[in-house]
């Protein structure tokens, strides 16, 4: 997964700061993700069906005002993953919640994967929630 902003063509990166962060009351993750999906659709003729979020980005998006606007007014808690899939029109949402720490990595870096899929090790640390970082993927099978 290429998460370094320099890996993408001009116009394919959205920098979130201040009021546009998904953790801000004025952040618009649904608008942002749908717009990004439309850019991909226009470039390759297919809609993306997979979204990968950091654990911090998941917390921000599930509690976001725009997202909550799509939920029933009787729902008291955060949006669920299944609700996000519907709202964002994606089949799969992966969350990098696991952390791995070795003798040279004392702060932990997010990894994610499934029984037949990749896991990744962050090559740098995020400095704020929702920030994109470069990840090195490892192909393997979980035991």
């Amino acid at each position: 997964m290429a998460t370094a902003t320099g890996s993408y063509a001009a116009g394919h990166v959205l920098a979130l700061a201040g009021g546009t962060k998904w953790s801000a009351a004025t952040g618009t993750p649904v608008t942002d993700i749908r717009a990004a999906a439309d850019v991909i659709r226009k470039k390759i003729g297919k809609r993306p069906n997979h979204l990968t979020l950091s654990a911090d980005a998941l917390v921000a998006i599930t509690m976001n005002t725009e997202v909550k606007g799509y939920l029933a007014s009787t729902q008291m808690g955060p949006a669920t993953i299944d609700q996000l899939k519907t709202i964002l029109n994606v089949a799969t949402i992966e969350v990098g919640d696991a952390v791995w720490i070795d003798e040279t990595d004392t702060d932990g870096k997010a990894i994610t994967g499934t029984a037949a899929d990749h896991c990744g090790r962050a090559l740098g640390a995020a400095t704020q929630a929702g920030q994109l970082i470069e990840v090195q993927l490892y192909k393997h099978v979980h035991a």
Side-chain angles (χ1 to χ4, degrees):
M1 172 180 357
T3 56
T5 58
S7 299
Y8 296 95
H12 292 195
V13 175
L14 176 62
L16 303 175
T20 63
K21 287 183 184 180
W22 297 348
S23 57
T26 54
T28 56
V30 177
T31 302
D32 296 342
I33 292 170
R34 286 182 176 179
D38 203 43
V39 168
I40 293 168
R41 181 193 59 78
K42 288 176 181 176
K43 291 287 184 182
I44 67 169
K46 294 181 181 180
R47 287 200 173 277
N49 62 3
H50 190 103
L51 176 65
T52 302
L53 297 169
S54 69
D56 290 337
L58 177 68
V59 169
I61 196 171
T62 60
M63 297 300 292
N64 177 273
T65 303
E66 183 186 32
V67 170
K68 291 191 130 215
Y70 285 87
L71 305 176
S73 60
T74 56
Q75 182 166 334
M76 300 300 290
T80 66
I81 296 280
D82 285 335
Q83 289 170 327
L84 289 174
K85 288 177 187 178
T86 300
I87 293 166
L88 300 172
N89 193 27
V90 294
T92 305
I93 296 178
E94 293 282 343
V95 180
D97 321 277
V99 286
W100 170 58
I101 299 175
D102 68 14
E103 65 280 352
T104 64
D105 180 13
T106 58
D107 61 350
K109 305 283 193 279
I111 59 171
T112 186
T114 63
D117 200 8
H118 296 86
C119 280
R121 183 177 191 295
L123 298 178
T127 58
Q128 61 188 7
Q131 182 179 32
L132 296 176
I133 56 171
E134 188 173 3
V135 176
Q136 181 178 10
L137 294 178
Y138 298 102
K139 179 69 176 167
H140 67 283
V141 175
H142 292 259

